[in-house]
C-alpha cells in the first residue's frame, strides 16, 4: 500500500474546493487543518465525497449521491483494500469517512482510523471494556457505529461509557459513565451529535432495566439532559409531565421489574424543528401481565418519541404496539424525507419496526399518515387510521399455552439499516418473515429479571410451532414505495440474515447477503448487476465516499448479532473467515487470502456425547439455562450466537472452564462463577447434551 502524507490525509475543506467523483466541486467548511471537523453547517450541506455520520446525514437515509460507480460499470468493481478485524463476533457498524480518513469500530468498542485511500492504519483505541459485560449483551457484543464532531470521534462502550477521542491521534479526551453499573445496562448503539450535544441511549430490557436517552455536551462530556422512556416508582415523584401521563397507562408495581423501553439504536434529527426522534424498545419483562397486571398501553414502550433537542422535553409520540409483549421494538432506523402524499408535500418520518407495519408520520406533529403491512403478520389485521391503533388478533395475547405469532421476536425488520433514494423515491428494506411460539411463565420474580416467558411444557404444541416456523420463515430485499405503500420489487434470499442497505446516485443498491457475498442491484428494477464472494456475511450497512476523485464502497463483514440467534446448523458453512473491513473501487485488484482448510470443517455437526446426568439434574439444568443462557444461546438451546447443541468435543471437555473459569472471556463468554456453582454449570451442560441428543436423533 502506498503511503499518503499526513497533510493530505488531514486536509481541511477550507483549503480548496473538494473534487467530487462526478466532477462537481463544493465548498467545504472553514475548519483549517483540524481532522474530522463536523459541525451544523457541514451536516446541513455535506460534501458528496464524505460520510459524516452513521446514516451519512441527520435524516438517516443511507444514501450517497456519488455517481462514478453506477449501473453501467458496477461490473468492474473490485477490492481496493481490506483490513482484518481481530474478533469472532458480529460487525454491525457503518464506518465514517471524513477528509480522507476512515473511522471504524468493532466489538468491545475498539476504534480504528485508516487512510481511506490506501488502508494504512493511522491509530487504534481500545477502551478496555471489562469482559464480564459480555454476558449482559442479549444480542452479541456488537457496536453499531461512532460519531464525529469538531475534531473528535465519539464511541459508546458496552459497559456504558461515552468517550470522546482526538480524531488525529486517537487519544482519549474525556469519558463519562452514562449508566448505573449496578444494573444490567449495556450500550450497543451508535451515538449521534446534534447541536453540540452527544445523544446516546442504552439496552438491557431483557434483564430488568428502565430505559432512557441522555444528551452530553460534546466538548466537556457534562450531561445536558435525560429523558426516561417509562415511568419509575410513583412514590419517588415523576421526572416530568410526560412520565406522569405515562404512569396512567401502567398498573401494579411495574417499576420493580424495570419497565424496559430502552433506546438501544434508532435516532434521527430535524434541525429545522430542533426535534430529535428516538425509537423505544420492548417491555421489561416481555409478558405484560407480569409488569402491568391490569393491562394498559404501557407508554412509552415501542414508540417513536419526539423531543426538543435543546431541552430534552417531550413534544409528541406515536406508539406502534400498545401494551406490547412480543419484543416488538421500535428501535429500528427512522428515515426523514419530504414526500408528495395526496397532492401535498409532507415532512415525514418513516419506520419499518419489528411488528411488520411500515409507518409514515408527519415529523412535525406526529400525525399518522399511513401504516401498511410490509410482511405477512397475524398479531393484527390492520391499523385503524382514525385511532392510530392496531386492530389486534385476540389470540396473539398469549397465556401459558404456546401461541404461534408472526412476526416472531426477530421481527419483520430488525436493526439492519434500510436506505431511501430521493432519486427513485423508494425505500430499500431488508425483510424477514418470522414466526415464534410465545407463552407466559407460571410465575415471575422481579428480583430475577428476564422475559417472563416460558420455554418448556406443552411439548407437542411447541414442536408443531417450531416446525411451522422453520418451514415458513423467509427473507428478501424489498423496494418499497412509501407514497403508495406497496412493494415495487423484491430479491428473495435463501435464508434470513442478509445485511443493511446502501443506495447511491449511480442507480445502485448494495447489500451483503447471507450467502457470504456482497451484491449490487439496479435501484429501479432490482436486477442483480454484480456480486462477489467475501468469505463471511456483511450484515452491516455499507457506505460510499470518494478520495482524490475516486469513489469507494466500504462495508464491514462479520456474521453475528441478533440475526445470528437462529438455527445454527443451517448456517454452519458461513463461518469461514474472521471479520474484515472491505473497501471496493472500480478496477480494484486486491484479493482476499485463501481460506485455511480448517475453516471448511464444521466440528459442531458431530454427534453429541451421551447424557450422564440424572433426569432431575437435566430438569434443573433446563431451569438454570433459561435464566442464564437463553438470551445468547437461544430458547431451548436452539440457535443463538453459538448453538450449544453442536459443541465440539473440545468445548464439551472445557465446559466448566468456560462457564465457571472464564476460559473464553476474550470472545465475550464471561465467567458465571458469581451466579452459578460448578454443579449448576454441569447441570446446564447435561441439559444442553440432552437437547442435542433429542434433536440429533430426529435428524
Amino acid at each position: 500500500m502506498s503511503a499518503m502524507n499526513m497533510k493530505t490525509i488531514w486536509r481541511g475543506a477550507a483549503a480548496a474546493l473538494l473534487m467530487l467523483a462526478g466532477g462537481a466541486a463544493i465548498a467545504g467548511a472553514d475548519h483549517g487543518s483540524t481532522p474530522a471537523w463536523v459541525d451544523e453547517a457541514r451536516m446541513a450541506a455535506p460534501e458528496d465525497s464524505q460520510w459524516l455520520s452513521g446514516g451519512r446525514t441527520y435524516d438517516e437515509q443511507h444514501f450517497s449521491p456519488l455517481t462514478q460507480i453506477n449501473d453501467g460499470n458496477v461490473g468492474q468493481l473490485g477490492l481496493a483494500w481490506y483490513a482484518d478485524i481481530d474478533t469472532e463476533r458480529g460487525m454491525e457498524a457503518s464506518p465514517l469517512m471524513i477528509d480522507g480518513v476512515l473511522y471504524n469500530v468493532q466489538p468491545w468498542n475498539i476504534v480504528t482510523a485508516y487512510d481511506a485511500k490506501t488502508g494504512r492504519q493511522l491509530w487504534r483505541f481500545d477502551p478496555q471494556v471489562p469482559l464480564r459485560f459480555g454476558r449482559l449483551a442479549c444480542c452479541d457484543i456488537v457496536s453499531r457505529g461512532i460519531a464525529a464532531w469538531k475534531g473528535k470521534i465519539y464511541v459508546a462502550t458496552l459497559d456504558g461509557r461515552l468517550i470522546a477521542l482526538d480524531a488525529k491521534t486517537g487519544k482519549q479526551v474525556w469519558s463519562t459513565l452514562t449508566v448505573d453499573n449496578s444494573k444490567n445496562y449495556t450500550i450497543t448503539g451508535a451515538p449521534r451529535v446534534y447541536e453540540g450535544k452527544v445523544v446516546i441511549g442504552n439496552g438491557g430490557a431483557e434483564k430488568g432495566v428502565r430505559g432512557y436517552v441522555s444528551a452530553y455536551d460534546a466538548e466537556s462530556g457534562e450531561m445536558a439532559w435525560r429523558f426516561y422512556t417509562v415511568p419509575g416508582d410513583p412514590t419517588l415523584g415523576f421526572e416530568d409531565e410526560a412520565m406522569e401521563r405515562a404512569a396512567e397507562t401502567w398498573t401494579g408495581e411495574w417499576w420493580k421489574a424495570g419497565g424496559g423501553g430502552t433506546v438501544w439504536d434508532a435516532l434521527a434529527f430535524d434541525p429545522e424543528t430542533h426535534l430529535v426522534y428516538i425509537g423505544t424498545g420492548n417491555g421489561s419483562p416481555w409478558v405484560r401481565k407480569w409488569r402491568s397486571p391490569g393491562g394498559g398501553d404501557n407508554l412509552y414502550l415501542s414508540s417513536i418519541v419526539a423531543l426538543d433537542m435543546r431541552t430534552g422535553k417531550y413534544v409528541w409520540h406515536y406508539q406502534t404496539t400498545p401494551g406490547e409483549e412480543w419484543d416488538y421494538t421500535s428501535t429500528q432506523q427512522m428515515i426523514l424525507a419530504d414526500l408528495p402524499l395526496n397532492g401535498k408535500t409532507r415532512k415525514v418520518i418513516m419506520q419499518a419496526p419489528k411488528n411488520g407495519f411500515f409507518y409514515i408520520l408527519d415529523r412535525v406533529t406526529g400525525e399518522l399518515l399511513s401504516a401498511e403491512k410490509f410482511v405477512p403478520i397475524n398479531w393484527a389485521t390492520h391499523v385503524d387510521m382514525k385511532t392510530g391503533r392496531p386492530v389486534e388478533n385476540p389470540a396473539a395475547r398469549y397465556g401459558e399455552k404456546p401461541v404461534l405469532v408472526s412476526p416472531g421476536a426477530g421481527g419483520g425488520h430488525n436493526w439492519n439499516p434500510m436506505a431511501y433514494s430521493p432519486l427513485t423515491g423508494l425505500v430499500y428494506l431488508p425483510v424477514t418473515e418470522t414466526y415464534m411460539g410465545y407463552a407466559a411463565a407460571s410465575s415471575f420474580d422481579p428480583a430475577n429479571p428476564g422475559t417472563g416467558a416460558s420455554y418448556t411444557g406443552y411439548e407437542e404444541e411447541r414442536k408443531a410451532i417450531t416446525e411451522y416456523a422453520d418451514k415458513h420463515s423467509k427473507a428478501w430485499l424489498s423496494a418499497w414505495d412509501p407514497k403508495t405503500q406497496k412493494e415495487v420489487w423484491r430479491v428473495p434470499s435463501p435464508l434470513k440474515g442478509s445485511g443493511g442497505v446502501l443506495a447511491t446516485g449511480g442507480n445502485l443498491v448494495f447489500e451483503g447477503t447471507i450467502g457470504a457475498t456482497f451484491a449490487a442491484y439496479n435501484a429501479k428494477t432490482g436486477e442483480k448487476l454484480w456480486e462477489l464472494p467475501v468469505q463471511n456475511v456483511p450484515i452491516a450497512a455499507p457506505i460510499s465516499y470518494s478520495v482524490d476523485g475516486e469513489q469507494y464502497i466500504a462495508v464491514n463483514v462479520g456474521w453475528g448479532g441478533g440475526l445470528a440467534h437462529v438455527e445454527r446448523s443451517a448456517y454452519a458453512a458461513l463461518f469461514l473467515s474472521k471479520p474484515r473491513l472491505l473497501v471496493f473501487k472500480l478496477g480494484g485488484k486486491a484479493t482476499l487470502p485463501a481460506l485455511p482448510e480448517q475453516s471448511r470443517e464444521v466440528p459442531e455437526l458431530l454427534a453429541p456425547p451421551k447424557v450422564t446426568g440424572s433426569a432431575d439434574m437435566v430438569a434443573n439444568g433446563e431451569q438454570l439455562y433459561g435464566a442464564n443462557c437463553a438470551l445468547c444461546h437461544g430458547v431451548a438451546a436452539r440457535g443463538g450466537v453459538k448453538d450449544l447443541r453442536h459443541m465440539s468435543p473440545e468445548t464439551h471437555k472445557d465446559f466448566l472452564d468456560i462457564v465457571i473459569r472464564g476460559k473464553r472471556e476474550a470472545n465475550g463468554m464471561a465467567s458465571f462463577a458469581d451466579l452459578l456453582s460448578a454443579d449448576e454449570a454441569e447441570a446446564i451442560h447435561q441439559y444442553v447434551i440432552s437437547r442435542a441428543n433429542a434433536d440429533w436423533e430426529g435428524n
Side-chain angles (χ1 to χ4, degrees), residues 578-629:
K578 279 202 166 188
R580 293 187 174 105
L581 169 63
L582 304 181
V583 180
F584 302 86
K585 69 175 182 178
L586 295 176
K589 301 298 184 184
T591 58
L592 295 175
L595 289 169
E597 192 61 32
Q598 60 266 31
S599 70
R600 302 178 186 276
E601 299 174 1
V602 190
E604 294 88 345
L605 298 184
L606 297 175
K610 298 300 182 183
V611 177
T612 59
S614 67
D616 287 344
M617 185 179 190
V618 171
N620 185 39
E622 181 178 28
Q623 297 300 317
L624 292 166
Y625 176 92
N628 295 281
C629 315

Side-chain angles (χ1 to χ4, degrees), residues 237 328 636:
Y328 286 169

Side-chain angles (χ1 to χ4, degrees), residues 522-585:
N522 183 300
K524 295 178 181 177
T525 67
E527 178 188 0
K528 185 184 293 184
L529 302 176
W530 172 83
E531 187 172 26
L532 188 71
V534 291
Q535 301 181 355
N536 208 315
V537 183
I539 57 174
I543 72 167
S544 187
Y545 63 87
S546 69
V547 178
D548 295 338
E550 196 164 31
Q551 184 181 355
Y552 297 82
I553 307 291
V555 65
N556 278 310
V557 174
W559 174 249
L563 290 181
H565 286 214
V566 292
E567 178 75 16
R568 168 78 187 277
S569 56
Y571 293 83
L574 298 177
F575 291 76
L576 298 174
S577 73
K578 279 202 166 188
R580 293 187 174 105
L581 169 63
L582 304 181
V583 180
F584 302 86
K585 69 175 182 178

Side-chain angles (χ1 to χ4, degrees), residues 22 42 110 159 162 168 193 297 342 356 367 369 474 604:
R42 199 174 193 192
I110 297 169
D159 59 338
L162 180 63
K168 185 172 184 178
V193 186
D297 287 353
N342 300 319
E367 175 192 358
L369 302 178
K474 302 180 182 68
E604 294 88 345

Side-chain angles (χ1 to χ4, degrees), residues 51-55 94-98 101-104 146-148 153 543 545:
W51 197 279
L52 302 180
S53 66
S94 295
L96 307 181
M97 202 299 295
I98 308 169
V101 179
L102 192 151
Y103 303 92
N104 200 27
I146 48 183
I153 300 295
I543 72 167
Y545 63 87

Side-chain angles (χ1 to χ4, degrees), residues 655-679:
F655 193 87
L656 292 186
D657 284 336
I658 295 168
V659 175
I660 300 299
R661 301 177 186 93
K663 186 173 182 177
R664 297 188 183 175
E665 280 189 331
N667 292 336
M669 177 60 200
S671 167
F672 277 71
D674 59 332
L675 298 176
L676 298 169
S677 68
D679 288 344

Side-chain angles (χ1 to χ4, degrees), residues 92-294:
E92 295 190 357
S94 295
L96 307 181
M97 202 299 295
I98 308 169
D99 299 332
V101 179
L102 192 151
Y103 303 92
N104 200 27
V105 63
Q106 67 188 67
W108 299 120
N109 315 111
I110 297 169
V111 183
T112 309
Y114 303 92
D115 179 327
K117 183 174 182 178
T118 69
R120 181 167 61 89
Q121 183 174 308
L122 304 175
W123 54 256
R124 184 176 186 270
F125 171 79
D126 184 348
Q128 297 291 311
V129 175
L131 300 179
R132 62 186 174 86
F133 285 90
R135 73 187 189 197
L136 296 181
C138 84
C139 306
D140 211 350
I141 54 170
V142 298
S143 177
R144 295 189 192 88
I146 48 183
W149 194 257
K150 295 186 177 180
K152 297 182 183 66
I153 300 295
Y154 301 87
V155 60
T157 64
L158 194 68
D159 59 338
R161 288 172 287 160
L162 180 63
I163 300 174
L165 306 175
D166 184 291
K168 185 172 184 178
T169 66
K171 301 296 184 183
Q172 181 173 301
V173 177
W174 55 256
S175 174
T176 187
L177 184 62
T178 71
V179 303
D180 179 352
N181 281 153
S182 71
K183 296 180 171 60
N184 296 322
Y185 285 103
T186 54
I187 297 179
T188 55
R192 300 339 190 259
V193 186
Y194 310 130
E195 299 183 339
K197 300 182 183 70
V198 191
V199 183
I200 189 64
N202 46 60
E206 278 73 25
K207 291 183 174 289
V209 305
R210 181 190 183 196
Y212 58 84
V213 63
S214 309
Y216 296 85
D217 183 273
E219 291 300 317
S220 67
E222 294 293 321
M223 190 169 76
W225 53 257
R226 173 168 291 172
F227 178 82
Y228 285 93
T229 58
V230 298
D233 184 348
T235 65
L236 301 178
F238 297 110
E239 290 82 4
D240 51 39
E241 292 182 3
M243 289 300 97
E244 187 173 2
R245 291 193 299 270
E248 297 173 0
T249 68
W250 294 71
T251 64
E253 297 178 321
W254 69 85
W255 58 92
K256 291 186 176 181
T262 50
V263 185
W264 55 260
D265 197 14
L267 296 165
F269 176 62
D270 184 349
E272 293 183 8
T273 59
H274 303 283
L275 292 181
V276 57
Y277 306 95
I278 66 172
T280 68
N282 54 279
S284 177
W286 285 4
V287 183
R288 182 171 60 169
K289 74 173 183 177
W290 298 132
R291 65 172 189 263
S292 185

